[in-house]
Amino acid sequence: MTYTWQYYDLVLGGIAVSMFLGVGVGYLTSVSLTAAVIGAALVAVAIIGHGLFVNGPVDEPTDLTKEVETLN
C-alpha cells in the first residue's frame, strides 16, 4: 500500500519548511534571525490562509450551512 499525498499534507509541510528556511536564512546569511523568522512566519500565514480560505476543507459552500449533530 502506497501513501498518496493530500493537499493538507503539503500545507503542513509548507509551514514547516518555511519556518526551517527562515531559521536557516537567519543563521547562514547577514539577515538578522528576527527578520528572517518574521518573514518565514508571514509565508507560513499565507500558506495557512490558502488552506483555510482559498482551498477550504469543504466540497461546496452549501456544506457550511449544515447543522452539527449533537453528541449524546
Side-chain angles (χ1 to χ4, degrees), residues 5 7-25 36-37 39-48:
W5 288 88
Y7 172 74
Y8 290 101
D9 296 329
L10 298 178
V11 167
L12 291 174
I15 294 166
V17 167
S18 70
M19 294 306 294
F20 285 125
L21 285 177
V23 171
V25 166
V37 170
L42 291 174
V43 171
V45 166
I47 293 170
I48 293 168

Side-chain angles (χ1 to χ4, degrees), residues 61-72:
T62 56
D63 292 342
L64 298 172
T65 61
K66 293 181 182 176
E67 292 185 14
V68 178
E69 295 179 18
T70 58
L71 298 175
N72 293 330

Side-chain angles (χ1 to χ4, degrees), residues 11-61:
V11 167
L12 291 174
I15 294 166
V17 167
S18 70
M19 294 306 294
F20 285 125
L21 285 177
V23 171
V25 166
Y27 278 123
L28 301 175
T29 65
S30 62
V31 177
S32 71
L33 180 62
T34 305
V37 170
I38 289 172
L42 291 174
V43 171
V45 166
I47 293 170
I48 293 168
H50 190 273
L52 286 174
F53 301 113
V54 176
N55 194 9
V58 295
D59 293 328
E60 296 178 7

